[in-house]
Amino acid sequence: MGGLSLKNGGTLYAVIKPDAKEVFGMTFFKNKEFLLGVYQNKFLYFNLMPNVKPDCPVFLPKLEMGKWMSVAAVVKVSGKDYTVTLYVNGRKPVTKTFKNVNYKATDSEITFGRGWGSTWHFDGAVACFKLFDKPLSEKEIKALDAKCPIKL
């Protein structure tokens, strides 16, 4: 299968400064598998797209547009159950578990800063992108934040 997959869990991490020019902006995108980005200029949005309905969306409200922030989506797998935790600046504000997910890895490429069509491009600045093939702990995410050259 092509590149990183979250089928067995993993972590997407980025330090971004989203602007409010675009309504939707993807940070990470892998068609028919997952996406992480800004939704409607006010939410951090992650969706696990297991190639079948329903999708598995998670929203974190009240993003501060125009400010530097770290964002992370951590995916843990237990059998066919997927638990997604979204972090902003190392804090763990949202966790959601999806039961009996039929995840199928694809050969799709992973893109950074763009998703579907012309309205899914990330608008803003990016300091770093990191992908991990394991779920990171809250402590490990805070350690990444502490090493970031951008003051969060």
Side-chain angles (χ1 to χ4, degrees), residues 14-130:
V15 176
I16 60 173
K17 182 180 176 185
D19 290 336
K21 293 177 188 170
E22 294 287 341
V23 176
F24 304 103
M26 291 302 100
T27 307
F28 295 94
F29 179 80
K30 187 170 185 187
N31 195 26
K32 297 184 180 176
E33 283 201 53
F34 58 80
L35 59 82
L36 175 67
V38 176
Y39 181 73
Q40 294 183 345
N41 288 336
K42 43 184 146 170
F43 300 99
L44 180 63
Y45 172 52
F46 176 84
N47 198 346
L48 192 62
M49 301 173 287
N51 298 317
V52 294
K53 296 295 180 190
D55 290 348
C56 304
V58 183
F59 295 91
L60 185 141
K62 300 181 182 175
L63 277 187
E64 293 188 61
M65 304 303 284
K67 293 190 176 185
W68 283 104
M69 65 185 77
S70 70
V71 297
V74 176
V75 178
K76 294 181 181 176
V77 181
S78 177
K80 291 188 94 178
D81 297 343
Y82 285 71
T83 299
V84 178
T85 303
L86 296 183
Y87 295 85
V88 172
N89 293 333
R91 292 184 302 274
K92 182 173 68 175
V94 174
T95 298
K96 191 170 182 181
T97 299
F98 300 94
K99 302 283 187 183
N100 202 29
V101 173
N102 185 25
Y103 192 116
K104 294 179 182 164
T106 71
D107 288 330
S108 298
E109 68 178 6
I110 297 173
T111 59
F112 307 100
R114 69 177 169 89
W116 294 293
S118 63
T119 60
W120 288 81
H121 292 261
F122 181 78
D123 185 46
V126 177
C128 73
F129 288 115
K130 294 183 182 275

